[in-house]
Short mmCIF file of all heavy atoms in Angstrom, two decimals:
data_model
loop_
_atom_site.label_atom_id
_atom_site.label_comp_id
_atom_site.label_asym_id
_atom_site.label_seq_id
_atom_site.Cartn_x
_atom_site.Cartn_y
_atom_site.Cartn_z
N SER A 179 4.73 -2.76 0.88
CA SER A 179 5.98 -3.15 0.23
C SER A 179 6.70 -1.95 -0.38
O SER A 179 7.94 -1.91 -0.44
CB SER A 179 5.71 -4.17 -0.88
OG SER A 179 5.07 -5.33 -0.37
N VAL A 180 5.94 -0.94 -0.81
CA VAL A 180 6.55 0.26 -1.37
C VAL A 180 7.40 0.96 -0.30
O VAL A 180 8.54 1.35 -0.55
CB VAL A 180 5.47 1.23 -1.89
CG1 VAL A 180 6.10 2.52 -2.41
CG2 VAL A 180 4.65 0.57 -2.99
N ILE A 181 6.83 1.11 0.90
CA ILE A 181 7.55 1.76 1.99
C ILE A 181 8.77 0.94 2.39
O ILE A 181 9.84 1.48 2.66
CB ILE A 181 6.62 1.98 3.19
CG1 ILE A 181 5.40 2.79 2.79
CG2 ILE A 181 7.37 2.67 4.33
CD1 ILE A 181 5.72 4.19 2.32
N VAL A 182 8.62 -0.37 2.42
CA VAL A 182 9.74 -1.24 2.77
C VAL A 182 10.89 -1.04 1.79
O VAL A 182 12.06 -0.91 2.18
CB VAL A 182 9.30 -2.72 2.80
CG1 VAL A 182 10.51 -3.64 2.93
CG2 VAL A 182 8.34 -2.96 3.95
N GLY A 183 10.57 -1.00 0.49
CA GLY A 183 11.60 -0.78 -0.51
C GLY A 183 12.30 0.56 -0.33
O GLY A 183 13.53 0.66 -0.42
N ALA A 184 11.50 1.61 -0.07
CA ALA A 184 12.09 2.94 0.14
C ALA A 184 12.99 2.96 1.36
O ALA A 184 14.07 3.57 1.34
CB ALA A 184 10.97 3.97 0.27
N LEU A 185 12.58 2.30 2.42
CA LEU A 185 13.39 2.26 3.64
C LEU A 185 14.69 1.50 3.41
O LEU A 185 15.75 1.87 3.95
CB LEU A 185 12.59 1.62 4.77
CG LEU A 185 11.38 2.42 5.28
CD1 LEU A 185 10.57 1.59 6.27
CD2 LEU A 185 11.81 3.72 5.92
N ILE A 186 14.63 0.44 2.63
CA ILE A 186 15.86 -0.32 2.33
C ILE A 186 16.86 0.58 1.62
O ILE A 186 18.06 0.56 1.93
CB ILE A 186 15.53 -1.56 1.48
CG1 ILE A 186 14.73 -2.58 2.32
CG2 ILE A 186 16.82 -2.21 0.97
CD1 ILE A 186 14.22 -3.76 1.51
N PHE A 187 16.38 1.39 0.68
CA PHE A 187 17.31 2.29 0.00
C PHE A 187 17.88 3.32 0.96
O PHE A 187 19.03 3.76 0.82
CB PHE A 187 16.67 3.01 -1.18
CG PHE A 187 17.67 3.79 -1.98
CD1 PHE A 187 18.38 3.17 -2.99
CD2 PHE A 187 17.95 5.12 -1.69
CE1 PHE A 187 19.33 3.87 -3.71
CE2 PHE A 187 18.90 5.82 -2.40
CZ PHE A 187 19.59 5.19 -3.42
N GLY A 188 17.08 3.73 1.96
CA GLY A 188 17.59 4.65 2.96
C GLY A 188 18.82 4.11 3.67
O GLY A 188 19.67 4.88 4.14
N ILE A 189 18.93 2.80 3.75
CA ILE A 189 20.08 2.16 4.39
C ILE A 189 21.26 2.05 3.43
O ILE A 189 22.40 2.30 3.79
CB ILE A 189 19.69 0.77 4.93
CG1 ILE A 189 18.61 0.90 6.01
CG2 ILE A 189 20.91 0.05 5.49
CD1 ILE A 189 18.06 -0.42 6.48
N ILE A 190 20.96 1.69 2.18
CA ILE A 190 22.06 1.39 1.25
C ILE A 190 22.57 2.63 0.50
O ILE A 190 23.63 2.58 -0.12
CB ILE A 190 21.66 0.32 0.22
CG1 ILE A 190 20.58 0.85 -0.73
CG2 ILE A 190 21.20 -0.94 0.91
CD1 ILE A 190 20.20 -0.12 -1.83
N SER A 191 21.86 3.77 0.56
CA SER A 191 22.24 4.94 -0.24
C SER A 191 23.62 5.49 0.06
O SER A 191 24.27 6.03 -0.84
CB SER A 191 21.20 6.05 -0.07
OG SER A 191 21.11 6.45 1.28
N PRO A 192 24.15 5.40 1.29
CA PRO A 192 25.50 5.95 1.52
C PRO A 192 26.61 5.19 0.81
O PRO A 192 27.76 5.62 0.86
CB PRO A 192 25.66 5.83 3.05
CG PRO A 192 24.28 5.76 3.59
CD PRO A 192 23.52 4.99 2.56
N MET A 193 26.30 4.06 0.18
CA MET A 193 27.36 3.29 -0.50
C MET A 193 28.12 4.15 -1.51
O MET A 193 29.34 4.10 -1.60
CB MET A 193 26.76 2.08 -1.20
CG MET A 193 26.29 1.00 -0.25
SD MET A 193 25.68 -0.43 -1.16
CE MET A 193 25.23 -1.50 0.21
N GLU A 194 27.39 4.94 -2.29
CA GLU A 194 28.03 5.75 -3.31
C GLU A 194 28.88 6.84 -2.68
O GLU A 194 29.99 7.12 -3.11
CB GLU A 194 26.96 6.38 -4.23
CG GLU A 194 27.53 7.19 -5.38
CD GLU A 194 27.98 6.31 -6.51
OE1 GLU A 194 27.99 5.09 -6.38
OE2 GLU A 194 28.34 6.87 -7.56
N MET A 195 28.34 7.46 -1.63
CA MET A 195 29.04 8.59 -1.03
C MET A 195 30.33 8.19 -0.34
O MET A 195 31.30 8.93 -0.32
CB MET A 195 28.12 9.27 0.00
CG MET A 195 27.07 10.16 -0.62
SD MET A 195 26.13 11.02 0.64
CE MET A 195 24.92 9.79 1.05
N TYR A 196 30.36 7.00 0.21
CA TYR A 196 31.51 6.61 1.02
C TYR A 196 32.23 5.39 0.45
O TYR A 196 32.92 4.67 1.16
CB TYR A 196 31.07 6.38 2.46
CG TYR A 196 30.49 7.63 3.04
CD1 TYR A 196 29.10 7.79 3.14
CD2 TYR A 196 31.31 8.69 3.42
CE1 TYR A 196 28.57 8.96 3.63
CE2 TYR A 196 30.77 9.87 3.91
CZ TYR A 196 29.41 10.01 4.02
OH TYR A 196 28.87 11.18 4.50
N ASN A 197 32.05 5.16 -0.86
CA ASN A 197 32.84 4.15 -1.58
C ASN A 197 32.79 2.77 -0.92
O ASN A 197 33.81 2.17 -0.61
CB ASN A 197 34.30 4.62 -1.69
CG ASN A 197 34.40 5.91 -2.48
OD1 ASN A 197 33.76 6.06 -3.52
ND2 ASN A 197 35.18 6.85 -1.98
N PHE A 198 31.58 2.27 -0.69
CA PHE A 198 31.42 0.96 -0.05
C PHE A 198 31.59 -0.18 -1.05
O PHE A 198 31.47 -1.33 -0.70
CB PHE A 198 30.05 0.86 0.61
CG PHE A 198 29.94 1.68 1.87
CD1 PHE A 198 28.72 1.75 2.53
CD2 PHE A 198 31.03 2.36 2.39
CE1 PHE A 198 28.61 2.50 3.70
CE2 PHE A 198 30.92 3.10 3.54
CZ PHE A 198 29.71 3.18 4.19
N GLY A 199 31.84 0.12 -2.31
CA GLY A 199 32.19 -0.94 -3.23
C GLY A 199 31.19 -1.24 -4.32
O GLY A 199 31.54 -1.88 -5.30
N MET A 200 29.93 -0.79 -4.19
CA MET A 200 28.96 -1.06 -5.25
C MET A 200 28.04 0.14 -5.42
O MET A 200 27.56 0.71 -4.44
CB MET A 200 28.12 -2.30 -4.93
CG MET A 200 27.07 -2.61 -6.01
SD MET A 200 26.05 -4.06 -5.68
CE MET A 200 27.24 -5.36 -5.98
N ASN A 201 27.81 0.51 -6.66
CA ASN A 201 26.86 1.56 -6.96
C ASN A 201 25.48 1.15 -6.43
O ASN A 201 24.99 0.06 -6.76
CB ASN A 201 26.81 1.76 -8.48
CG ASN A 201 25.98 2.97 -8.87
OD1 ASN A 201 24.84 3.11 -8.46
ND2 ASN A 201 26.57 3.84 -9.67
N PRO A 202 24.82 1.99 -5.60
CA PRO A 202 23.52 1.59 -5.02
C PRO A 202 22.46 1.31 -6.07
O PRO A 202 21.59 0.47 -5.86
CB PRO A 202 23.15 2.77 -4.13
CG PRO A 202 23.97 3.91 -4.63
CD PRO A 202 25.23 3.32 -5.15
N LEU A 203 22.51 2.02 -7.22
CA LEU A 203 21.51 1.76 -8.26
C LEU A 203 21.73 0.39 -8.90
O LEU A 203 20.77 -0.27 -9.30
CB LEU A 203 21.57 2.85 -9.32
CG LEU A 203 21.16 4.26 -8.88
CD1 LEU A 203 21.09 5.20 -10.06
CD2 LEU A 203 19.82 4.24 -8.15
N ARG A 204 22.98 -0.04 -9.00
CA ARG A 204 23.23 -1.39 -9.51
C ARG A 204 22.67 -2.43 -8.54
O ARG A 204 22.10 -3.44 -8.97
CB ARG A 204 24.73 -1.60 -9.72
CG ARG A 204 25.08 -3.04 -10.12
CD ARG A 204 26.49 -3.15 -10.64
NE ARG A 204 26.58 -2.64 -12.01
CZ ARG A 204 27.59 -1.91 -12.47
NH1 ARG A 204 28.59 -1.58 -11.67
NH2 ARG A 204 27.59 -1.50 -13.73
N LEU A 205 22.83 -2.17 -7.25
CA LEU A 205 22.27 -3.10 -6.25
C LEU A 205 20.75 -3.15 -6.36
O LEU A 205 20.15 -4.22 -6.27
CB LEU A 205 22.70 -2.67 -4.85
CG LEU A 205 22.24 -3.58 -3.71
CD1 LEU A 205 22.72 -5.00 -3.92
CD2 LEU A 205 22.74 -3.04 -2.37
N ILE A 206 20.13 -1.98 -6.59
CA ILE A 206 18.68 -1.94 -6.81
C ILE A 206 18.31 -2.81 -8.00
O ILE A 206 17.34 -3.58 -7.97
CB ILE A 206 18.19 -0.50 -7.04
CG1 ILE A 206 18.24 0.29 -5.74
CG2 ILE A 206 16.77 -0.49 -7.59
CD1 ILE A 206 17.85 1.74 -5.92
N GLY A 207 19.07 -2.68 -9.08
CA GLY A 207 18.80 -3.46 -10.28
C GLY A 207 18.89 -4.95 -10.03
O GLY A 207 18.03 -5.73 -10.47
N ILE A 208 19.93 -5.38 -9.32
CA ILE A 208 20.11 -6.82 -9.03
C ILE A 208 18.94 -7.33 -8.17
O ILE A 208 18.35 -8.39 -8.47
CB ILE A 208 21.45 -7.05 -8.31
CG1 ILE A 208 22.60 -6.73 -9.25
CG2 ILE A 208 21.54 -8.48 -7.80
CD1 ILE A 208 23.96 -6.73 -8.59
#
Side-chain angles (χ1 to χ4, degrees):
S179 301
V180 177
I181 303 297
V182 171
L185 292 172
I186 292 173
F187 188 86
I189 297 174
I190 67 176
S191 61
M193 289 183 179
E194 183 80 353
M195 282 185 276
Y196 299 101
N197 298 316
F198 287 176
M200 179 180 288
N201 188 307
L203 294 187
R204 175 167 283 140
L205 183 57
I206 288 177
I208 294 171

